[in-house]
Amino acid sequence: MAKYTPQELANVLKDGLLSFPVTSFDAELQFDEENYRKHLAWQASFPVAGLFAAGGTGEGFSLTPTESGRVVRAAVGEVGSIVPVLASAGGSTAQAIENARAAEEAGADGILLLPPYLTEADQGGLIDHVSAICRSTSLGVIIYNRANAIYKDTTVATLADRHQNLIGFKDGVGDLEHDARVYAKLGDRLFYLGGLPTAETFALPLLQLGMSTYSSAMYNFVPQFALDFYQDVRNHDRVAVNRKLNEFVIPYLDIRDRVKGYSVSIVKAGLDAIGRSAGGVRPPLQNLAPQDLADLKSLIATVS
């Protein structure tokens, strides 16, 4: 059973850094639960506000429904008493409902609703899709605005009126006018989190639009740096933010942008670089090339 009501969960998540742990794989790219639990325990030893199991950085798109359930149960079992654990729901409406119910049964505290797989939909269809998931669970639900699920401000307002367990809006697009419209219309009814890769790059300007938090992938391997960066953002310390951008974040982006798909691969490479390997990535992603890994390792050494 979830430890938080939907509104309690929103209150916890909105004022702290959030992260998506990688999913550990063994040499055959099968789920390595023992190593995953070790990684989660380390992640939860820092003051992070919430961890999202089997999300994008966790390669949730490559997990079978059975594997996704195992990952969520392992996360809840390992750190659920320490930090809120949220799961992802995606694919078709029926599959997302299955994900949400499995997450609730596993003891997760909330759901991040991913865009429907491939299907293009207008606002009415998105309302029906989100409504079906919200009705299927008592957990707090966060909608993810990206790809083929771009929610107009009026759509978000309709959904918020209908479903008290809709608690959050995550943006993965970066359309400033759109974000301003959503926040202006919904205000404190929801909490707002940045979901652009890499979120630190956009964190300070998006804070002005009401996005009080964001999902940090680099928290996986440099958690203290990520937490310090987040505090600088919340303090509106532009000098400190720019210094950290120049010293680490932008050079990190330069490595990330060398190959498509590196936005996930580079996170696992970061764990390799600090001696906490979570295994490789599953196809169609590819691991960092040796030189890219060497460059990343040298960069991490500057902030460790």
Side-chain angles (χ1 to χ4, degrees), residues 113-177:
L113 180 57
L114 304 176
Y117 178 66
L118 287 180
T119 306
E120 299 295 335
D122 209 336
Q123 298 301 296
L126 290 174
I127 288 173
D128 291 343
H129 176 70
V130 176
S131 292
I133 283 77
C134 286
R135 287 194 302 265
S136 75
T137 180
S138 65
L139 299 181
V141 176
I142 301 164
I143 54 174
Y144 196 177
N145 184 74
R146 66 175 294 176
N148 56 334
I150 305 301
Y151 300 93
K152 290 183 178 179
D153 57 332
T154 50
T155 297
V156 181
T158 296
L159 288 166
D161 286 343
R162 291 185 184 179
H163 307 288
Q164 288 303 302
N165 63 331
L166 179 66
I167 62 170
F169 177 87
K170 180 178 181 180
D171 180 55
V173 178
D175 182 333
L176 300 187
E177 179 182 332

Side-chain angles (χ1 to χ4, degrees), residues 12-205:
V12 170
L13 299 180
K14 70 183 180 66
D15 286 323
L17 185 64
L18 309 176
S19 190
F20 286 62
V22 299
T23 301
S24 300
F25 296 138
D26 61 21
E28 284 72 45
L29 296 181
Q30 298 303 301
F31 177 45
D32 184 345
E33 182 170 339
E34 180 180 1
N35 199 28
Y36 181 65
R37 283 175 172 265
K38 289 179 181 178
H39 180 57
L40 267 291
W42 181 58
Q43 297 279 277
S45 70
F46 295 85
V48 69
L51 296 173
F52 289 69
T57 304
E59 296 177 76
F61 46 81
S62 77
L63 301 174
T64 67
T66 299
E67 287 176 322
S68 182
R70 284 187 62 200
V71 170
V72 174
R73 285 192 298 274
V76 171
E78 187 63 33
V79 300
S81 64
I82 303 170
V83 63
V85 173
L86 293 89
S88 295
S92 67
T93 302
Q95 182 180 331
I97 289 172
E98 183 179 341
N99 292 153
R101 287 174 174 167
E104 184 165 1
E105 185 177 341
D109 296 298
I111 298 293
L112 175 66
L113 180 57
L114 304 176
Y117 178 66
L118 287 180
T119 306
E120 299 295 335
D122 209 336
Q123 298 301 296
L126 290 174
I127 288 173
D128 291 343
H129 176 70
V130 176
S131 292
I133 283 77
C134 286
R135 287 194 302 265
S136 75
T137 180
S138 65
L139 299 181
V141 176
I142 301 164
I143 54 174
Y144 196 177
N145 184 74
R146 66 175 294 176
N148 56 334
I150 305 301
Y151 300 93
K152 290 183 178 179
D153 57 332
T154 50
T155 297
V156 181
T158 296
L159 288 166
D161 286 343
R162 291 185 184 179
H163 307 288
Q164 288 303 302
N165 63 331
L166 179 66
I167 62 170
F169 177 87
K170 180 178 181 180
D171 180 55
V173 178
D175 182 333
L176 300 187
E177 179 182 332
H178 181 233
D179 291 340
R181 284 173 176 267
V182 172
Y183 185 75
K185 184 170 286 292
L186 276 297
D188 292 336
R189 168 61 183 85
L190 303 177
F191 85 99
Y192 307 86
L193 58 151
L196 287 156
T198 291
E200 279 80 1
T201 318
F202 308 90
L204 189 56

